[in-house]
Amino acid sequence: MSNIFEIKEIDKKIKEKYREITILENLKKILESKNIFYMNGNTEDLKIWNSTICKNNILTTWIKYGKRIQNKNIENKLKKDDIIVWYVKGHGFNSIVKVTNSPFIFNIENDLDREILKEYYKGWEYKYPTFDEWLNDEKNNNYKRVGIKVEFLVTSNTKFIMHPENINWNKEKKWSSGFQGSDLCEPKNEYWKEQVIEIYKYLSGTL
Protein backbone atom coordinates (compact mmCIF):
# COMPACT_ATOMS: atom_id res chain seq x y z
CA MET A 1 0.00 0.00 0.00
CA SER A 2 2.84 2.36 0.89
CA ASN A 3 4.55 1.56 -2.43
CA ILE A 4 1.43 2.65 -4.36
CA PHE A 5 1.33 5.90 -2.38
CA GLU A 6 5.02 6.54 -3.07
CA ILE A 7 4.56 5.89 -6.79
CA LYS A 8 1.65 8.34 -6.92
CA GLU A 9 3.72 10.99 -5.12
CA ILE A 10 6.65 10.49 -7.48
CA ASP A 11 4.30 10.68 -10.48
CA LYS A 12 2.81 13.92 -9.11
CA LYS A 13 6.27 15.46 -8.66
CA ILE A 14 7.29 14.46 -12.19
CA LYS A 15 4.16 16.09 -13.63
CA GLU A 16 4.77 19.26 -11.60
CA LYS A 17 8.38 19.42 -12.77
CA TYR A 18 7.34 18.82 -16.39
CA ARG A 19 4.83 21.67 -16.14
CA GLU A 20 7.49 23.99 -14.71
CA ILE A 21 9.86 23.12 -17.57
CA THR A 22 7.10 23.64 -20.17
CA ILE A 23 6.26 27.07 -18.73
CA LEU A 24 9.92 28.13 -18.80
CA GLU A 25 10.32 26.87 -22.38
CA ASN A 26 7.21 28.77 -23.50
CA LEU A 27 8.36 31.98 -21.82
CA LYS A 28 11.70 31.55 -23.61
CA LYS A 29 9.88 31.24 -26.96
CA ILE A 30 8.04 34.49 -26.27
CA LEU A 31 11.16 36.34 -25.11
CA GLU A 32 13.20 35.21 -28.11
CA SER A 33 10.51 35.86 -30.73
CA LYS A 34 11.29 38.61 -33.21
CA ASN A 35 7.62 39.15 -34.06
CA ILE A 36 4.71 39.12 -31.61
CA PHE A 37 1.41 39.87 -33.32
CA TYR A 38 -2.09 40.70 -32.11
CA MET A 39 -5.17 39.21 -33.77
CA ASN A 40 -8.90 39.30 -33.13
CA GLY A 41 -10.99 36.15 -33.24
CA ASN A 42 -14.74 35.57 -33.38
CA THR A 43 -16.87 34.79 -30.33
CA GLU A 44 -18.34 31.88 -32.31
CA ASP A 45 -14.97 30.14 -32.09
CA LEU A 46 -15.50 29.54 -28.37
CA LYS A 47 -18.27 27.04 -29.17
CA ILE A 48 -15.74 24.76 -30.88
CA TRP A 49 -12.55 25.86 -29.13
CA ASN A 50 -11.49 22.60 -27.48
CA SER A 51 -13.30 20.16 -29.75
CA THR A 52 -12.03 21.58 -33.05
CA ILE A 53 -9.61 24.50 -32.89
CA CYS A 54 -7.25 23.10 -30.24
CA LYS A 55 -7.58 19.59 -31.67
CA ASN A 56 -6.66 20.72 -35.18
CA ASN A 57 -4.15 23.36 -34.07
CA ILE A 58 -5.63 25.66 -36.73
CA LEU A 59 -6.86 29.18 -36.06
CA THR A 60 -8.98 30.87 -38.72
CA THR A 61 -9.23 34.42 -39.98
CA TRP A 62 -9.98 36.00 -43.37
CA ILE A 63 -8.70 38.18 -46.17
CA LYS A 64 -11.44 40.73 -46.82
CA TYR A 65 -11.26 42.36 -50.23
CA GLY A 66 -12.48 45.86 -51.06
CA LYS A 67 -11.19 49.43 -50.99
CA ARG A 68 -9.02 48.49 -48.02
CA ILE A 69 -7.96 44.86 -47.97
CA GLN A 70 -7.96 43.36 -44.48
CA ASN A 71 -5.08 40.98 -43.75
CA LYS A 72 -3.41 41.88 -47.03
CA ASN A 73 -0.27 39.75 -47.55
CA ILE A 74 -0.89 37.74 -44.37
CA GLU A 75 0.47 34.65 -46.15
CA ASN A 76 3.86 36.34 -46.49
CA LYS A 77 3.78 38.55 -43.40
CA LEU A 78 3.23 35.78 -40.86
CA LYS A 79 6.20 33.44 -40.55
CA LYS A 80 7.01 30.17 -38.82
CA ASP A 81 7.92 30.72 -35.14
CA ASP A 82 6.13 34.09 -34.97
CA ILE A 83 3.96 34.55 -31.89
CA ILE A 84 0.27 35.54 -32.01
CA VAL A 85 -1.65 36.79 -28.99
CA TRP A 86 -5.30 35.90 -29.67
CA TYR A 87 -8.08 38.24 -28.56
CA VAL A 88 -11.70 37.05 -28.64
CA LYS A 89 -13.99 39.97 -29.35
CA GLY A 90 -16.09 40.92 -26.35
CA HIS A 91 -14.11 38.66 -23.99
CA GLY A 92 -10.39 39.46 -24.10
CA PHE A 93 -7.10 37.63 -24.60
CA ASN A 94 -7.45 33.86 -24.29
CA SER A 95 -4.44 32.38 -26.07
CA ILE A 96 -0.81 32.76 -27.01
CA VAL A 97 0.35 30.61 -29.92
CA LYS A 98 3.47 29.96 -31.94
CA VAL A 99 3.03 29.76 -35.71
CA THR A 100 4.21 26.40 -37.08
CA ASN A 101 3.67 26.99 -40.80
CA SER A 102 2.77 29.71 -43.28
CA PRO A 103 -0.93 30.71 -43.39
CA PHE A 104 -3.00 29.12 -46.15
CA ILE A 105 -6.22 30.02 -47.96
CA PHE A 106 -9.03 27.48 -47.74
CA ASN A 107 -10.34 26.35 -51.11
CA ILE A 108 -14.06 25.68 -50.63
CA GLU A 109 -14.06 23.55 -53.81
CA ASN A 110 -11.41 21.22 -52.36
CA ASP A 111 -12.76 18.13 -50.60
CA LEU A 112 -10.07 18.08 -47.91
CA ASP A 113 -10.57 21.76 -47.07
CA ARG A 114 -14.33 21.25 -46.98
CA GLU A 115 -13.92 18.43 -44.46
CA ILE A 116 -11.84 20.66 -42.19
CA LEU A 117 -14.28 23.56 -42.54
CA LYS A 118 -17.24 21.34 -41.66
CA GLU A 119 -15.89 21.22 -38.11
CA TYR A 120 -15.58 25.00 -37.95
CA TYR A 121 -19.08 25.47 -39.34
CA LYS A 122 -20.51 24.11 -36.08
CA GLY A 123 -19.80 27.47 -34.46
CA TRP A 124 -21.90 29.23 -37.10
CA GLU A 125 -24.90 26.91 -37.44
CA TYR A 126 -27.10 29.36 -35.54
CA LYS A 127 -26.61 31.94 -38.30
CA TYR A 128 -26.33 29.82 -41.46
CA PRO A 129 -28.89 26.98 -41.83
CA THR A 130 -26.67 24.91 -44.14
CA PHE A 131 -22.96 24.25 -44.52
CA ASP A 132 -22.98 25.34 -48.18
CA GLU A 133 -24.69 28.60 -47.30
CA TRP A 134 -21.94 29.33 -44.80
CA LEU A 135 -19.22 28.37 -47.31
CA ASN A 136 -20.67 30.54 -50.06
CA ASP A 137 -20.85 33.56 -47.77
CA GLU A 138 -17.26 34.27 -48.77
CA LYS A 139 -18.35 34.60 -52.41
CA ASN A 140 -21.29 36.82 -51.49
CA ASN A 141 -19.22 39.10 -49.28
CA ASN A 142 -15.90 39.07 -51.14
CA TYR A 143 -13.50 37.40 -48.73
CA LYS A 144 -11.42 34.25 -48.32
CA ARG A 145 -11.04 32.13 -45.20
CA VAL A 146 -7.48 31.71 -43.98
CA GLY A 147 -6.05 28.95 -41.79
CA ILE A 148 -3.08 29.42 -39.46
CA LYS A 149 -1.34 26.31 -38.14
CA VAL A 150 -0.13 26.88 -34.60
CA GLU A 151 1.23 25.42 -31.39
CA PHE A 152 -0.78 26.54 -28.38
CA LEU A 153 1.60 27.83 -25.70
CA VAL A 154 -1.33 28.64 -23.44
CA THR A 155 -5.08 28.75 -24.06
CA SER A 156 -8.48 28.79 -22.39
CA ASN A 157 -12.10 28.99 -23.49
CA THR A 158 -13.25 30.12 -20.04
CA LYS A 159 -10.46 32.36 -18.75
CA PHE A 160 -9.83 35.73 -20.40
CA ILE A 161 -7.98 38.96 -19.75
CA MET A 162 -9.23 42.20 -21.22
CA HIS A 163 -7.97 44.84 -18.79
CA PRO A 164 -4.74 45.02 -16.79
CA GLU A 165 -6.69 45.18 -13.52
CA ASN A 166 -6.64 41.36 -13.54
CA ILE A 167 -2.87 41.32 -13.03
CA ASN A 168 -0.12 43.22 -11.28
CA TRP A 169 0.41 45.86 -13.97
CA ASN A 170 1.92 49.31 -13.56
CA LYS A 171 -0.81 51.76 -14.61
CA GLU A 172 1.83 54.10 -16.03
CA LYS A 173 2.67 51.48 -18.66
CA LYS A 174 0.56 51.39 -21.81
CA TRP A 175 -1.76 48.38 -22.21
CA SER A 176 -2.65 47.25 -25.75
CA SER A 177 -6.03 45.67 -26.50
CA GLY A 178 -9.32 46.14 -28.32
CA PHE A 179 -7.94 46.87 -31.79
CA GLN A 180 -10.63 47.11 -34.45
CA GLY A 181 -11.04 44.64 -37.30
CA SER A 182 -9.34 41.34 -38.02
CA ASP A 183 -6.04 42.68 -39.34
CA LEU A 184 -2.87 41.02 -38.16
CA CYS A 185 -1.00 43.78 -36.34
CA GLU A 186 2.04 44.32 -34.16
CA PRO A 187 1.29 46.92 -31.45
CA LYS A 188 3.72 49.85 -31.40
CA ASN A 189 3.98 49.68 -27.66
CA GLU A 190 7.34 49.45 -25.91
CA TYR A 191 5.71 47.33 -23.20
CA TRP A 192 4.01 44.91 -25.60
CA LYS A 193 6.36 41.96 -25.00
CA GLU A 194 6.18 42.53 -21.26
CA GLN A 195 2.38 42.57 -21.51
CA VAL A 196 2.40 39.29 -23.45
CA ILE A 197 4.53 37.63 -20.77
CA GLU A 198 2.08 38.80 -18.08
CA ILE A 199 -0.85 37.51 -20.15
CA TYR A 200 0.91 34.14 -20.41
CA LYS A 201 1.45 34.02 -16.65
CA TYR A 202 -2.19 34.87 -16.01
CA LEU A 203 -3.63 32.31 -18.44
CA SER A 204 -1.26 29.56 -17.31
CA GLY A 205 -1.99 30.24 -13.64
CA THR A 206 1.60 31.10 -12.74
CA LEU A 207 0.99 34.62 -11.42
Side-chain angles (χ1 to χ4, degrees):
M1 197 73 174
S2 60
N3 286 340
I4 294 173
F5 177 77
E6 287 174 8
I7 291 169
K8 286 183 177 179
E9 281 299 303
I10 291 169
D11 184 58
K12 182 182 176 182
K13 288 178 181 178
I14 290 171
K15 287 177 180 177
E16 287 174 354
K17 184 59 65 176
Y18 178 77
R19 184 173 183 272
E20 288 174 9
I21 292 169
T22 301
I23 287 169
L24 289 173
E25 287 178 344
N26 288 341
L27 287 170
K28 188 171 182 282
K29 289 172 185 176
I30 294 169
L31 283 166
E32 293 181 347
S33 178
K34 294 179 181 178
N35 300 309
I36 302 180
F37 294 101
Y38 170 109
M39 286 199 81
N40 282 324
N42 293 307
T43 304
E44 286 81 2
D45 290 342
L46 296 177
K47 299 175 183 178
I48 55 166
W49 194 260
N50 292 329
S51 63
T52 298
I53 294 172
C54 291
K55 184 191 76 174
N56 293 340
N57 289 309
I58 298 175
L59 292 168
T60 58
T61 185
W62 67 355
I63 298 174
K64 179 73 170 72
Y65 302 101
K67 290 183 179 179
R68 189 186 76 81
I69 301 175
Q70 291 188 47
N71 278 326
K72 184 179 181 181
N73 299 324
I74 189 173
E75 299 155 280
N76 300 316
K77 187 176 180 181
L78 198 56
K79 307 291 186 184
K80 185 176 181 291
D81 294 331
D82 284 346
I83 299 291
I84 303 174
V85 190
W86 201 256
Y87 187 97
V88 179
K89 289 182 286 185
H91 292 268
F93 296 106
N94 84 317
S95 299
I96 298 174
V97 304
K98 187 182 82 166
V99 177
T100 59
N101 214 328
S102 299
F104 62 94
I105 295 177
F106 284 103
N107 177 0
I108 63 173
E109 307 300 331
N110 178 278
D111 289 341
L112 182 59
D113 283 0
R114 287 175 69 92
E115 284 303 308
I116 295 171
L117 288 171
K118 271 182 184 177
E119 297 183 65
Y120 288 78
Y121 164 63
K122 292 173 184 176
W124 295 90
E125 286 177 321
Y126 78 99
K127 188 174 180 180
Y128 299 91
T130 68
F131 175 57
D132 283 332
E133 188 175 341
W134 177 67
L135 281 185
N136 290 322
D137 185 67
E138 68 173 43
K139 294 178 180 178
N140 299 331
N141 289 288
N142 198 23
Y143 68 87
K144 290 287 185 181
R145 295 180 178 88
V146 176
I148 307 170
K149 293 184 178 180
V150 301
E151 171 195 348
F152 284 91
L153 303 184
V154 66
T155 188
S156 175
N157 68 338
T158 57
K159 191 174 183 180
F160 305 89
I161 178 166
M162 184 181 290
H163 305 295
E165 287 78 9
N166 299 72
I167 60 174
N168 184 22
W169 185 258
N170 188 332
K171 291 182 180 179
E172 294 180 3
K173 295 179 180 179
K174 184 179 178 182
W175 178 268
S176 297
S177 67
F179 292 97
Q180 297 297 310
S182 57
D183 279 326
L184 176 75
C185 71
E186 194 165 12
K188 305 301 180 185
N189 174 4
E190 62 180 310
Y191 302 111
W192 174 235
K193 184 172 282 190
E194 182 180 345
Q195 177 182 331
V196 174
I197 289 169
E198 292 304 319
I199 291 170
Y200 178 88
K201 290 178 180 177
Y202 175 78
L203 292 175
S204 62
T206 57
L207 273 176

